[in-house]
Amino acid sequence: MLLTFVQWIQLTDFFTALRGSAYVYPIVLSLHMVGLALFGGMILMTDLRLLGVTMRQRPIADVVNQLRVPKRWGLLLTATCGFLMFGSKAEEYYYNAFFRTKLILFAVVIVTELVFYRSVYGNPAALDQAPQVPGNAKLAAALSLLLWTSIACCGRGIGYIEPPLDKIHAQIHVRHDATAVAARGLYIQKGQDHQDVASAN
């Protein structure tokens, strides 16, 4: 049932046009990388501050609150472009082990965010009142770095797994379309040849 659903998504007119575009798809891919750079940079700076590695002179609340807005914009851009890329090749992603691992890691990220939100991310001012960064904040930052780095590695790994072309439903449609176009061209050519012969006679 899930396979049928991703096949339906991939074969919609919108994603078919996006997949076949020589300009739009590369732009979406590039914007996805821009969003990753922005979002990843904000995550890295926040986590390093929570770990006490950098920006120690800056209050944790200032770092977390000031980076929250650009972090959200980066996440929005990354997620939007990521969804467009997924819809364009949904069936290929369905068979990709790195993509499935990436989804599992996303679920773990959500769980960790919920666990640490109240004590860390939702009240960063309380962290500044402690004589040193609390252990739970450092744990949250370490897990965040580990999970997001793993997600980035899985994202890169997706492109290194060749899809099973014998199973790709969209590939079959492309072959049928190409065959139909070739047959139509041959028919037109034959008709033109008959007209030329008739004209010669």
Side-chain angles (χ1 to χ4, degrees):
M1 182 177 180
L2 182 59
L3 178 59
T4 303
F5 178 68
V6 297
Q7 288 174 343
W8 174 79
I9 292 178
Q10 181 170 290
L11 294 175
T12 57
D13 293 339
F14 175 77
F15 285 116
T16 299
L18 177 61
R19 183 172 58 252
S21 174
Y23 301 102
V24 179
Y25 187 84
I27 292 175
V28 171
L29 178 59
S30 300
L31 290 177
H32 183 66
M33 300 304 296
V34 171
L36 281 175
L38 176 60
F39 178 69
M42 301 302 102
I43 289 288
L44 179 62
M45 294 174 66
T46 301
D47 290 339
L48 290 180
R49 177 60 188 93
L50 290 175
L51 289 172
V53 176
T54 185
M55 294 186 293
R56 297 178 182 178
Q57 73 281 4
R58 298 293 301 275
I60 295 177
D62 287 350
V63 175
V64 172
N65 292 329
Q66 290 177 13
L67 298 183
R68 182 169 285 147
V69 173
K71 184 193 302 182
R72 290 175 177 174
W73 279 109
L75 177 60
L76 178 62
L77 179 60
T78 302
T80 302
C81 295
F83 175 75
L84 293 176
M85 292 166 59
F86 164 75
S88 300
K89 301 180 179 180
E91 192 175 9
E92 293 185 20
Y93 286 125
Y94 172 84
Y95 291 107
N96 196 294
F98 278 114
F99 179 74
R100 295 188 177 191
T101 303
K102 187 176 180 179
L103 292 182
I104 295 174
L105 292 173
F106 273 132
V108 177
V109 165
I110 294 174
V111 172
T112 56
E113 288 289 328
L114 293 175
V115 170
F116 292 106
Y117 180 79
R118 180 174 296 182
S119 60
V120 179
Y121 302 110
N123 189 21
L127 302 178
D128 291 319
Q129 299 175 0
Q132 59 182 3
V133 181
N136 64 332
K138 292 184 177 181
L139 177 60
L143 288 175
S144 174
L145 284 176
L146 176 62
L147 290 171
W148 285 112
T149 300
S150 300
I151 288 174
C153 292
C154 287
R156 291 298 302 154
I158 289 175
Y160 291 95
I161 294 183
E162 292 293 334
L165 297 180
D166 57 322
K167 297 180 180 180
I168 299 299
H169 192 251
Q171 185 74 11
I172 297 175
H173 278 263
V174 170
R175 290 173 181 172
H176 285 174
D177 292 343
T179 302
V181 170
R184 189 181 303 113
L186 181 61
Y187 176 79
I188 294 174
Q189 182 62 39
K190 287 183 177 180
Q192 185 64 41
D193 292 343
H194 285 304
Q195 291 180 0
D196 293 342
V197 171
S199 299
N201 291 336

